[in-house]
Amino acid sequence: MPFGECTITLQDVAYQLGLPVDGHYVSGCVTDFYVYIQGDRQAWQGFQELLGVLPPPSQIQKFAVSCSWFQETFGECPEGTDEATVRRFARAYIMMLLGTQLFADKSGNRIHIRWLPYMARLEEMGGYSWGSAALAWLYRCMCRVANKHVVKLAWPLQLLQSWIFWRFPRFWSDGFDSFSWPLASRWSGYNPDVSEKGPRVQMTRLRIDMLQPKDVIYMDAI
């Protein structure tokens, strides 16, 4: 910006997404995942034990499963089901959140099964600092997209977008100046017209060039 820099912090993650930034660090999921594969049980056997079903081969690409299969299979938990079934649906829902919202790849339509070890410890999920992990993943993705040969940016873009709207009020859209918790939920219905993408990008770049210190919210008043 013409007058300095600012960046997303852990406090922003807590406010925007409502994720915990304290607790156990999220680390080793990839390492544990490969240990899980090489152990007595194969990865897909563990998948079936935890979720109660296996996706067909057409819905699998290496160690990632199609999002559409997850949605069709676990879209709605039937009423009156036993606790074991409810836990399977809960595991699937959490995997969808992790794989499509916080730690998605650039395809946007696959969910990696590296999160299986966490699903096996379902009761401990709330004790991890998921906010720290999401912020680290966002920084990593933004570093990668800085390469001129990279044309797509992985998630969590909702964190980046909501932070921009919060810190730079000039970018707010009409009707989105209300408050809700977490702050990112205010933009759940935000769906700009795709046909205006080109002009909107040009206008946004112009607004960034014209920003003044008074146009930036540096301190939170929550």
Side-chain angles (χ1 to χ4, degrees), residues 49-199:
E49 290 179 3
L50 293 173
L51 299 181
V53 64
L54 275 178
S58 61
Q59 300 296 319
I60 299 174
Q61 184 173 350
K62 293 184 178 180
F63 293 106
V65 182
S66 168
C67 290
S68 60
W69 179 84
F70 263 94
Q71 293 168 351
E72 293 172 1
T73 307
F74 299 100
E76 184 176 353
C77 184
E79 296 184 5
T81 55
D82 55 30
E83 182 179 352
T85 302
V86 172
R87 292 174 66 86
R88 294 190 190 104
F89 273 78
R91 293 188 182 105
Y93 179 72
I94 294 173
M95 285 191 67
M96 285 190 282
L97 284 179
L98 295 175
T100 63
Q101 300 299 316
L102 295 183
F103 308 102
D105 60 18
K106 290 187 290 187
S107 72
N109 58 14
R110 294 191 299 268
I111 299 174
H112 202 286
I113 64 171
R114 62 166 60 96
W115 306 107
L116 280 179
Y118 287 97
M119 299 305 105
R121 305 188 298 267
L122 193 60
E123 289 78 6
E124 303 176 12
M125 291 289 293
Y128 288 91
S129 178
W130 294 104
S132 302
L135 182 60
W137 177 246
L138 177 61
Y139 278 144
R140 183 178 183 181
C141 294
M142 289 195 297
C143 287
R144 287 178 173 177
V145 81
N147 188 319
K148 65 179 181 179
H149 300 294
V150 176
V151 296
K152 292 183 178 181
L153 176 62
W155 278 279
L157 291 185
Q158 72 274 23
L159 169 59
L160 179 60
Q161 183 184 43
S162 184
W163 176 82
I164 291 172
F165 287 150
W166 176 251
R167 296 295 179 180
F168 304 92
R170 291 188 61 179
F171 295 97
W172 287 0
S173 300
D174 294 337
F176 287 93
D177 55 351
S178 59
F179 290 87
S180 61
W181 185 262
L183 295 176
S185 64
R186 298 181 302 159
W187 308 98
S188 59
Y190 180 66
N191 188 23
D193 190 351
V194 178
S195 62
E196 300 178 357
K197 179 179 179 180

